[in-house]
Amino acid sequence: LILVWRRMPNGWLEPKRMTEAVLVIGLTLLGGQIIFLSWFHYAVGQVAQGYWMFLFVTWAAARLGIHGVVTILFMTAIQGLLGAIQGVGFFAHDIAKTGLVNYWFYIMTLSVVGMALSIHFTERKQIEEALRKSETRFRNILEHAPIGMAVASLDGRLTQVNQSLCIILGYEKAELEKLTIREITHPEYVASSFANIKRLLDGELDHYRSEKRYIRKDGRPVWAQLAASIERDGSGAPWCFIGQIEDITERKQAEEKLRASEQKFMRLFMEIPIPLGVADKEGVIAHFNNKFTEVFGYTTDDVPTLNEWWLHAYPNETYRRWVLDNWNDAVAKATKEGTNVESAEYNVTCKNGAERVVIIGGSPVEGGVLAIFNDITERKQAEEQIRTLAFYGALTQLPNRRMLSDRLAQ
């Protein structure tokens, strides 16, 4: 009694709990007086048996816990001992016949049963309280989560949804909890969704993530990022699915716009009537446009890297080393100063072996460089032809007087 009552019981001061405690202890006290001290002997003496106290102990164990049990055991021990001393009640003849052996055996049995029941009921209450707190915590998380959340039964019926999911799909909570996973999933994604659900049920997956489309109440599709998992009981048997649904419609729309913009840029890049090439910072050539291939004959299959480009376009090692140093210096300067790559004139060897005079410039782009090739071969040839006509005779192809005067002037 002392060991137990050194800590006060929780909740006994609440009016309802206190009323129940007074009622249990009061009825037990009255029952003990009838059974052990022969109160109302002529009225209930025939049915006043010791086993009735087990009912009170069980009641106390279930409702009042160990504090109520030890209190009743203490009361019963006192009442039984007083009855044995006075020679009345259930143990009226125990002192003379057994020297209180029956009394002590009865109290011991009652104590063992009472304590065992109180421990059992206390643990059960603790488990139920922990479960209740866990359910409350989960419900709060579910309701206040900034993304959609849902709990579905094994047959795909939605049993719990939060307000965020209702907003995403345009339903009232009561409406949504009458639907199934199939009914809110876009037809294009039903097969893949249930294939993943089967893998969860078969134990191949504990969880999975996917992007899929759902159908809103108004019929419009909505993109969502789904993270789904399966919950199992203590024996490992599945009992529900939990899904977290994040609306990614705006992200998908932005991605689609970006993709369209990239496609538009790529079409422009490929069709622009100027040779262009793009290489990343690792030296991998990402793209040549159509005009580049038309002029030089190379594709990215022919020269997949800048190293390959230098070898093919500038086969002479001495000239290649000069081109490489000059170009790298120009790119480094442009990157540092945030300007365009300074243009310079180079002789480029084409795939067919022909040599073309090209002014090459460009601009640093994120993670690489865009090179712009201005083919001036025809212009150079025209200039050379004009110079020839100016300084050589048309018929003899010998230097004329103008060339002689130019040389004398020099």
Side-chain angles (χ1 to χ4, degrees), residues 332-348:
K333 179 181 178 182
T335 302
K336 180 179 179 181
E337 297 178 356
T339 59
N340 292 329
V341 178
E342 185 177 354
S343 299
E345 184 177 307
Y346 304 98
N347 295 328
V348 176

Side-chain angles (χ1 to χ4, degrees), residues 390-393 398-409:
F391 292 107
Y392 293 87
L398 296 174
N400 56 23
R401 184 180 300 175
R402 185 174 181 181
M403 184 176 182
L404 178 61
S405 298
D406 182 72
R407 292 292 184 271
L408 290 173

Side-chain angles (χ1 to χ4, degrees), residues 253-328:
Q253 291 173 345
E255 289 176 354
E256 185 60 31
K257 289 180 180 178
L258 178 61
R259 190 179 301 110
S261 177
E262 289 175 346
Q263 291 174 350
K264 183 177 179 180
F265 169 78
M266 184 54 64
R267 286 195 300 270
L268 177 64
F269 173 86
M270 294 302 294
E271 299 301 329
I272 196 169
I274 300 173
L276 300 174
V278 178
D280 64 21
K281 62 181 179 180
E282 304 298 330
V284 177
I285 297 176
H287 303 287
F288 287 139
N289 72 347
N290 296 335
K291 190 63 177 179
F292 181 95
T293 303
E294 178 187 328
V295 172
F296 301 108
Y298 297 112
T299 66
T300 52
D301 293 331
D302 300 319
V303 284
T305 66
L306 286 179
N307 289 335
E308 296 288 332
W309 164 251
W310 303 128
L311 290 173
H312 285 78
Y314 310 103
N316 182 279
E317 183 178 355
T318 303
Y319 185 66
R320 180 171 64 247
R321 190 179 302 113
W322 175 83
V323 172
L324 188 59
D325 290 342
N326 193 60
W327 174 256
N328 287 338

Side-chain angles (χ1 to χ4, degrees), residues 201-244:
L201 289 171
D202 293 343
E204 296 180 24
L205 298 174
D206 291 327
H207 63 277
Y208 74 90
R209 299 178 67 89
S210 69
E211 292 183 358
K212 58 182 287 189
R213 285 194 292 174
Y214 291 92
I215 298 296
R216 285 175 50 88
K217 182 180 179 180
D218 57 15
R220 290 189 294 113
V222 56
W223 275 101
Q225 172 80 50
L226 169 67
S229 61
I230 189 169
E231 291 297 313
R232 301 179 182 273
D233 59 22
S235 65
W239 66 279
C240 76
F241 301 106
I242 296 178
Q244 300 177 40

